[in-house]
Amino acid sequence: MMVSKQLVLTYIYLLVYIMLSSGVILYNKWVLSPKYFNFPLPITLTMIHMGFSGLVAFLLIRVFKVVSPVKMTFEIYATCVIPISAFFASSLWFGNTAYLFISVAFIQMLKALMPVATFVMAVICGTDKLRCDLFLNMLLVSVGVVVSSYGEIHFNIVGTVYQVTGIFAEALRLVLTQVLLQKKGLTLNPITSLYYIAPCSFVFLFVPWYLLEKPEMEVSQIQFNFWIFFSNALCALALNFSIFLVIGRTGAVTIRVAGVLKDWILIALSTLIFPESTITTLNITGYAIALCGVVMYNYLKIKDVRAVQLPVDGVSDRIAKELKMEKKSSDLYVPDDIFKNSGGKGSRNGSPDSIVDEEAPFIPSSRVSHLGRSPLSSYSP
């Protein structure tokens, strides 16, 4: 049986996404780690990414006119873009700083907390409801992360606090994206997101950079290799667009499976590339427990979406609608669907769970539940 060209292309996009996502995280670790390239300035690295991303977006919109800028008023910029950029910059800052203290493998295990953080923030902000089944799943994820942390040989409380803080900052950014941008009807694609958010995030990062890293750069001999930082920023930008391509061609379930596969590959690769990353049996056991909770959480969220969107019709109609819903559930750029599919009102299924890879955090949140993050983190760990 011949395999269709479209199917082959889809799997190529998935492979590119997995390679870029894993590669950017490992690249960031190599650049920041004192044992390797020795550029222990995470804020500076993040600002390089922000500046590069903002410049590329400016060229694409204003010079080459690949896409048109959205109608951005001062009110929307002040009340939406600025607070979102602030938490976005914070998540990148804290996440990148964690590389200096803990291993890539352990960071990926901690990122299993992302659904917990997003759920907590959504409940606090009123975009999701506190339910017993979801709460038990979040409890299972938390227990798994605690077990994994207990089994970490090189456990470092400072690095762990940085990473967890970055996770909650990113979760709050996702909720704010839904509450502030989507409810105002503002649609941002990856390029326009870069155009508006990257410069603002750069400004927010300037203050901690000036206070914390600028003095160190003046007294320390920090090596700066243009091609290293250019290629690092370029890979991060490519990852951002690869996620856009993947989401446009696959459904929510496929994206989740790819995310899980990426996390396991990344954990395995990190132990090979960075010998100091030692994985114990307790690490794996805890991560497996957390993963079970996240998988069940995603299943419940998909079930909720289908319960709202799929009336009990004939079999053929139901299958057709399921396929259509599966594509819509991964649509990042049509926030109006959230309101249309819920009868004109916000619903709990519009919660900001998403394919958030912290390595490409400019992608706006969707209704795709996050599985193992990141983080959605190109620009962050």
Side-chain angles (χ1 to χ4, degrees), residues 1 6 17 24 53 76 149 152 154 205 245 249 256 300 322 326 339 355 373:
M1 185 174 66
Q6 295 298 324
Y17 157 69
V24 168
S53 300
I76 294 178
S149 301
E152 176 65 17
H154 304 293
L205 289 168
L245 292 175
R249 302 187 66 88
R256 290 183 179 88
L300 290 173
E322 282 183 349
E326 182 75 2
F339 304 99
I355 177 180
R373 199 180 173 192

Side-chain angles (χ1 to χ4, degrees), residues 209-270:
W209 172 82
Y210 186 84
L211 297 175
L212 300 176
E213 294 189 357
K214 182 177 180 294
E216 183 178 351
M217 295 178 70
E218 292 175 348
V219 299
S220 303
Q221 291 184 341
I222 302 296
Q223 59 175 327
F224 189 93
N225 186 308
F226 171 81
W227 294 109
I228 291 291
F229 291 104
F230 175 76
S231 60
N232 182 259
L234 188 62
C235 288
L237 186 67
L239 172 61
N240 193 60
F241 291 108
S242 74
I243 292 181
F244 170 65
L245 292 175
V246 167
I247 289 176
R249 302 187 66 88
T250 65
V253 175
T254 304
I255 294 172
R256 290 183 179 88
V257 172
V260 175
L261 180 61
K262 181 212 72 174
D263 287 338
W264 283 108
I265 291 175
L266 187 53
I267 290 174
L269 283 177
S270 66

Side-chain angles (χ1 to χ4, degrees), residues 166-232:
I167 289 172
F168 274 89
E170 174 67 5
L172 187 54
R173 182 193 72 83
L174 291 176
V175 176
L176 286 176
T177 299
Q178 181 198 15
V179 172
L180 299 179
L181 287 184
Q182 293 182 352
K183 286 188 176 180
K184 289 182 180 293
L186 185 64
T187 301
L188 296 178
N189 60 41
I191 299 176
T192 53
S193 295
L194 291 170
Y195 181 73
Y196 292 108
I197 295 178
C200 191
S201 297
F202 183 94
V203 173
F204 275 109
L205 289 168
F206 180 81
V207 175
W209 172 82
Y210 186 84
L211 297 175
L212 300 176
E213 294 189 357
K214 182 177 180 294
E216 183 178 351
M217 295 178 70
E218 292 175 348
V219 299
S220 303
Q221 291 184 341
I222 302 296
Q223 59 175 327
F224 189 93
N225 186 308
F226 171 81
W227 294 109
I228 291 291
F229 291 104
F230 175 76
S231 60
N232 182 259

Side-chain angles (χ1 to χ4, degrees), residues 88-104:
F88 174 50
S90 300
S91 69
L92 299 182
W93 169 19
F94 295 134
N96 275 327
T97 304
Y99 282 134
L100 301 177
F101 302 96
I102 54 181
S103 67
V104 171

Side-chain angles (χ1 to χ4, degrees), residues 26 104-105 266-279:
L26 296 172
V104 171
L266 187 53
I267 290 174
L269 283 177
S270 66
T271 60
L272 297 175
I273 298 174
F274 306 111
E276 68 274 12
S277 299
T278 305
I279 299 179

